[in-house]
Amino acid sequence: MNPDGPIAILAGSGQLPIQLVKHLERVGRDYRILAFRGFAAPELRRRAHASADLLDLKTIMSVLDGWRPQAVSLVGAVRRPGFSALLGAYSLLRNRQEVMEVIARGDDQVLRGAVMLLEERGHRVVGAHELAPGLVAPSSLRGAREAGADDRQAIAVGLDLLNSLSAFDIGQAAIVAREHVLAIEGPEGTDRMLRRVRGMRQSWFGLRRSKEGGVLIKAAKRGQDLRVDMPTIGPKTVQEAARAGLSGIAVGAGSTLVLEQEETLATADRLGLFLVAVDLPWMEPPHE
């Protein structure tokens, strides 16, 4: 670790890497972008200082060794490669049997394995929430709309569900209407889960009532390493929730990133959805 070095951003897809870069520029911190081919947004690829394939660990490590960063942050979504591809890439740097055991344990363990590789090479790994704490949802976050009684019941059910599912390395989100679970996030991600619910609610005539209710609950899993794959929402999430006919969105306070917070809240107000941060029973409440 070089205390005078730049922040190295290993960038996947989505708006989070872009928002993080903008924050670092605003506060005057030096940074370098390593964009993952096939994932990073065009805007970020044009500005990237280097590019690499997701599994080209030799190039990634070589670039980082040259930059000598003070910290490394893995931000943005990536699709998990197949078992054999991961095994082949990781086995270049680690014992093959050990790699097989890590991969077999699920996505969280794969991400932790990536962090372990970086730390073993002397890099300090930090989360986007540590570099840009202003992106994190505070307990006070809420829009103009209030959650109704059915919505509060749905939030409670959703939190119980996500807490129970934490041990199974499933998604970070669920959609609940009162006590009925409509969907649990899988590898497809939150936006596609919302589209799935929207499709379920289509009538035979291809029409949907404007508001059928239900809540998107998005929260970090119990024991989750917040340095990687931290739950994230933004204006697009709100738009997809509205199209799915939901009443609102609840996110974990202190452990969920809300991109473009003002626009996200304004979008929720404009579309008639509530947006609220809730304390997670399995995590320490955030300090504000």
Side-chain angles (χ1 to χ4, degrees), residues 16 59 85 89 118 120 142 191 245 253 283:
L16 177 55
T59 296
L118 290 167
E120 287 176 349
R142 64 188 63 251
D191 287 348
M283 298 190 72

Side-chain angles (χ1 to χ4, degrees), residues 103-123:
I103 295 172
R105 293 189 197 122
D107 287 353
D108 275 4
Q109 290 300 318
V110 171
L111 290 169
R112 288 173 184 170
V115 170
M116 188 186 305
L117 285 176
L118 290 167
E119 290 180 333
E120 287 176 349
R121 295 293 288 260
H123 299 295

Side-chain angles (χ1 to χ4, degrees), residues 29-111:
R29 297 190 71 173
D30 189 19
Y31 65 87
R32 300 288 185 277
I33 303 169
L34 191 157
F36 289 128
R37 295 191 186 100
F39 297 99
E43 175 184 346
L44 212 59
R45 292 201 304 270
R46 289 192 293 268
R47 305 179 57 186
H49 302 85
S51 298
D53 292 327
L54 180 64
L55 294 179
D56 187 356
L57 299 185
K58 183 177 180 181
T59 296
I60 294 169
M61 295 302 180
S62 176
V63 168
L64 291 177
D65 288 344
W67 286 347
R68 298 183 66 239
Q70 62 176 276
V72 177
S73 188
L74 294 84
V75 290
V78 295
R79 292 184 302 275
R80 173 176 168 162
F83 187 94
S84 59
L86 276 169
L87 184 61
Y90 276 36
S91 293
L92 294 173
L93 301 176
R94 298 298 298 265
N95 175 275
R96 189 175 179 86
Q97 182 59 41
E98 179 186 6
V99 172
M100 289 180 66
E101 292 173 358
V102 168
I103 295 172
R105 293 189 197 122
D107 287 353
D108 275 4
Q109 290 300 318
V110 171
L111 290 169

Side-chain angles (χ1 to χ4, degrees), residues 200-215:
M200 288 166 48
R201 288 178 153 181
Q202 297 291 332
S203 74
W204 293 108
F205 302 101
L207 300 174
R208 176 178 54 78
R209 293 191 301 273
S210 60
K211 185 67 69 67
E212 298 181 64
V215 182

Side-chain angles (χ1 to χ4, degrees), residues 7 16 19-24 26-27 29 73 75 126-137 230 256-259 261:
I7 302 294
L16 177 55
Q19 294 298 315
L20 180 57
V21 167
K22 289 180 178 178
H23 170 79
L24 294 176
R26 283 195 299 270
V27 298
R29 297 190 71 173
S73 188
V75 290
V126 299
H129 64 298
E130 297 171 272
L131 296 172
L135 296 179
V136 181
M230 193 169 178
T256 303
L257 299 172
V258 181
L259 305 181
Q261 284 192 21

